[in-house]
């Protein structure tokens, strides 16, 4: 029985339809039929959490000091581990008391930041395509979202000059993400300098999502927003342990940057949650303390898969430029077919799951995202099935 006399709140009903729903249905049906699915649709790393992290968790879980409510702002030792890691990786010094806040995964923090800072009707600038939380968060908050269209011609970079002054003057928050999910685009340091100058000029809160900085290849080192002088006055940056450390299920991320913005997010969160289980904060500390040689191994794994898949796709007619970071390839649909239809048809014909680009907003139409979350033998099997089904870029 549907409860037609109890309607969900407007904020829930106003959310755009969930593109993954039909895909999930088809996936379930294919599994029931015993089809061997190759799921390259998720952003879920396929490897296990590194053993030093698991070992630290097992020790910490036995310590009864970790069994109570954790401190709202996270444990001091995890916050110190965050700021030490940040300094090691980016050369930026941060105060562990107030400039770093642990989160129940960065998605939680991104959406709550939107709730903490966006009033109904506030103008919010969000690129399209984008990671869904970057537009769903502002949508839940009732913000007036202005799309910043990205495309191949501008290398999937935000064109700041194309934002009309009147829009920039009204805007309160801008979300962005390089290296990017879903496009795998990276932004040069000059872009970060420009966007900081733009945000300072127009008094806009800059929210940067740097989830993929450690998954970079070929000597490329992504830029942190906070490396740019003056960025801390107007910006915050989100990080996650989900991707780099194969910890997606543990729910650990953090935000760094402007003290007063982080304080606002913390105030909201003290009314919502108690933060991360203290034993998991110990484990997360162990992750951040692992030597850079661990990161080298992760990077090699994804780079090998990237090269393998780019070559496989080339045999099927696709020219995909070498990505410098992330665990994704952003692949154009063959001419004349839309994202959803292409992803569904690939799934039905081959059992290979791809994410339709329009799941990332209007700007993702015409593309699918392929995740590098299987070993090369499985990726090879996926390519063989596409070839067999005569799915090509032509
Ligand atoms: C995976 C991902 C996240 C979410 O990470 P969690 O910390 O697991 O919530 C955030 N932003 C981007 C761009 C992502 O791809």
């Amino acid at each position: 029985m549907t409860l037609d006399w109890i309607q969900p709140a407007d904020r829930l009903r106003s959310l755009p339809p969930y593109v993954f729903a039909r895909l999930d249905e088809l996936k379930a049906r294919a599994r029931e039929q015993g089809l061997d699915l190759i799921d390259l649709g998720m952003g879920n790393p396929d490897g296990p959490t590194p053993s030093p992290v698991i070992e630290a968790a097992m020790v910490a879980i036995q310590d009864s000091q970790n069994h109570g409510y954790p401190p709202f702002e996270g444990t001091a030792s995890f916050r110190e581990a965050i700021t030490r890691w940040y300094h090691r990786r980016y050369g930026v010094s941060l105060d562990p008391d107030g400039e770093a806040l642990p989160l129940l995964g960065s998605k939680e923090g991104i959406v709550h930041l939107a709730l903490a800072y966006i009033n109904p009707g506030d103008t919010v600038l969000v690129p399209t395509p984008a990671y869904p939380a970057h537009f769903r968060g502002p949508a839940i908050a009732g913000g007036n979202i202005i799309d910043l269209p990205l495309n191949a011609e501008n290398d999937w970079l935000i064109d700041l000059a194309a934002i009309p002054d009147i829009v920039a003057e009204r805007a309160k928050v801008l979300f962005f993400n390089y290296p990017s999910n879903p496009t795998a685009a990276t932004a040069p340091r000059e872009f970060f300098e420009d966007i900081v100058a733009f945000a300072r000029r127009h008094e806009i809160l800059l929210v940067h999502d740097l989830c993929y900085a450690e998954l970079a290849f070929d000597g490329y080192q992504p830029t942190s927003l906070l490396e740019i002088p003056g960025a801390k006055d107007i910006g915050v940056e989100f990080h996650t342990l989900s991707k780099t450390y194969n910890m997606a299920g543990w729910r650990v991320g953090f935000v760094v940057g402007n003290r007063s913005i982080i304080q606002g997010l913390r105030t909201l969160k003290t009314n919502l949650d108690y933060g991360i289980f203290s034993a998991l904060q110990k484990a997360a500390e162990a992750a951040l303390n692992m030597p850079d040689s661990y990161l080298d191994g992760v990077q090699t794994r994804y780079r090998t898969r990237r090269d393998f898949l780019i070559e496989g796709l080339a045999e099927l007619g696709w020219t995909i430029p070498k990505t410098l970071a992330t665990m994704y390839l952003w692949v154009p649909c063959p001419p004349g077919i839309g994202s959803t239809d292409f992803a569904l048809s690939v799934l039905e014909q081959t059992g290979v799951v791809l994410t339709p680009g329009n799941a990332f907003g209007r700007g993702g139409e015409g593309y699918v995202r392929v995740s590098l979350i299987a070993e090369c033998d499985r990726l090879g099997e996926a390519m063989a099935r596409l070839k067999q089904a005569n799915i090509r870029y032509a």
Side-chain angles (χ1 to χ4, degrees):
M1 197 184 75
T2 58
L3 286 180
D4 50 6
W5 42 278
I6 303 180
Q7 292 297 328
D10 293 344
R11 77 176 66 85
L12 182 59
R13 292 201 292 169
S14 70
L15 285 175
Y18 195 59
V19 177
F20 291 97
R22 246 192 96 201
L23 206 61
D24 280 351
E25 223 173 84
L26 281 181
K27 270 162 64 174
R29 203 178 322 144
R31 276 207 192 90
E32 275 164 25
Q33 291 167 354
L35 197 67
D36 169 33
L37 287 187
I38 303 178
D39 196 341
L40 308 179
M42 302 290 291
N44 197 356
D46 54 307
T49 300
S51 50
V53 180
I54 294 176
E55 278 151 27
M58 295 207 297
V59 172
I61 213 166
Q62 310 224 30
D63 180 351
S64 62
Q65 282 198 18
N66 291 326
H67 294 176
Y69 288 117
F72 280 119
E73 66 280 4
T75 63
S77 68
F78 183 36
R79 281 183 281 109
E80 281 157 18
I82 290 170
T83 54
R84 265 199 318 274
W85 177 90
Y86 208 87
H87 188 264
R88 183 179 109 216
R89 298 289 306 157
Y90 304 104
V92 174
S93 297
L94 294 165
D95 181 356
D97 288 322
E99 292 182 334
L101 180 67
L103 301 167
L104 295 160
S106 61
K107 183 180 186 182
E108 176 264 304
I110 290 164
V111 173
H112 283 144
L113 184 79
L115 286 180
Y117 281 91
I118 298 168
N119 281 315
D122 280 349
T123 297
V124 186
L125 307 178
V126 188
T128 181
Y131 177 66
H134 299 171
F135 51 88
R136 301 271 169 141
I140 293 168
N144 172 32
I145 299 170
I146 306 288
D147 284 347
L148 305 177
L150 311 179
N151 53 54
E153 289 69 53
N154 58 29
D155 296 325
W156 307 97
L157 283 179
I158 300 169
D159 184 358
L160 295 169
I163 302 172
D165 264 351
I166 183 164
V167 172
E169 276 310 310
R170 253 195 334 243
K172 183 168 179 187
V173 187
L174 189 161
F175 288 82
F176 72 120
N177 162 229
Y178 294 104
S180 156
N181 174 13
T183 67
T186 53
R189 192 184 169 88
E190 301 77 64
F191 173 84
F192 281 85
E193 286 164 356
D194 291 349
I195 203 164
V196 167
F198 174 86
R200 291 179 68 98
R201 189 159 67 245
H202 298 290
E203 299 180 330
I204 296 171
L205 165 59
L206 269 189
V207 181
H208 186 231
D209 183 342
L210 190 55
C211 283
Y212 294 100
E214 278 58 51
L215 306 186
F217 322 120
D218 305 339
Y220 173 68
Q221 170 58 49
T223 304
S224 153
L225 173 66
L226 301 182
E227 286 172 37
I228 308 300
K232 210 159 74 176
D233 298 340
I234 43 94
V236 292
E237 186 164 77
F238 285 89
H239 291 259
T240 181
L241 278 72
S242 297
K243 313 294 165 52
T244 312
Y245 300 99
N246 291 343
M247 289 175 69
W250 298 60
R251 310 312 302 134
V252 185
F254 55 89
V255 60
V256 289
N258 185 273
R259 184 183 294 276
S260 111
I261 300 297
I262 288 177
Q263 179 59 39
L265 175 57
R266 180 180 168 232
T267 301
L268 178 69
K269 277 170 60 63
T270 56
N271 291 282
L272 291 169
D273 65 60
Y274 282 100
I276 308 162
F277 178 24
S278 299
L280 297 195
Q281 297 194 53
K282 276 282 166 214
E285 246 178 271
L288 296 184
N289 288 339
M290 282 197 302
D292 282 344
S293 56
Y294 166 77
L295 300 178
D296 295 342
V298 176
Q299 291 165 356
T300 303
R301 245 181 55 229
Y302 286 113
R303 179 172 42 75
T304 307
R305 295 171 179 185
R306 172 201 70 178
D307 293 344
F308 184 86
L309 208 56
I310 286 179
E311 246 172 64
L313 286 166
E315 283 176 30
L316 301 175
W318 269 280
T319 310
I320 309 294
K322 272 213 167 148
T323 52
L324 289 177
T326 78
M327 45 192 256
Y328 307 109
L329 296 184
W330 186 234
V331 175
C333 302
I337 182 165
S339 294
T340 309
D341 286 344
F342 182 59
L344 292 178
S345 127
V346 170
L347 173 57
E348 276 170 337
Q349 292 185 71
T350 67
V352 176
V353 185
L354 311 173
T355 305
N358 56 7
F360 306 98
R362 204 181 321 173
E365 185 47 67
Y367 284 78
V368 287
R369 190 192 70 180
V370 187
S371 301
L372 306 171
I373 52 171
E375 298 293 357
C376 288
D377 58 338
R378 287 297 274 169
L379 296 176
E381 166 69 16
M383 290 299 103
R385 291 190 199 173
L386 259 62
K387 192 170 183 181
Q388 175 84 32
N390 201 28
I391 294 167
R392 308 179 52 85
Y393 185 74

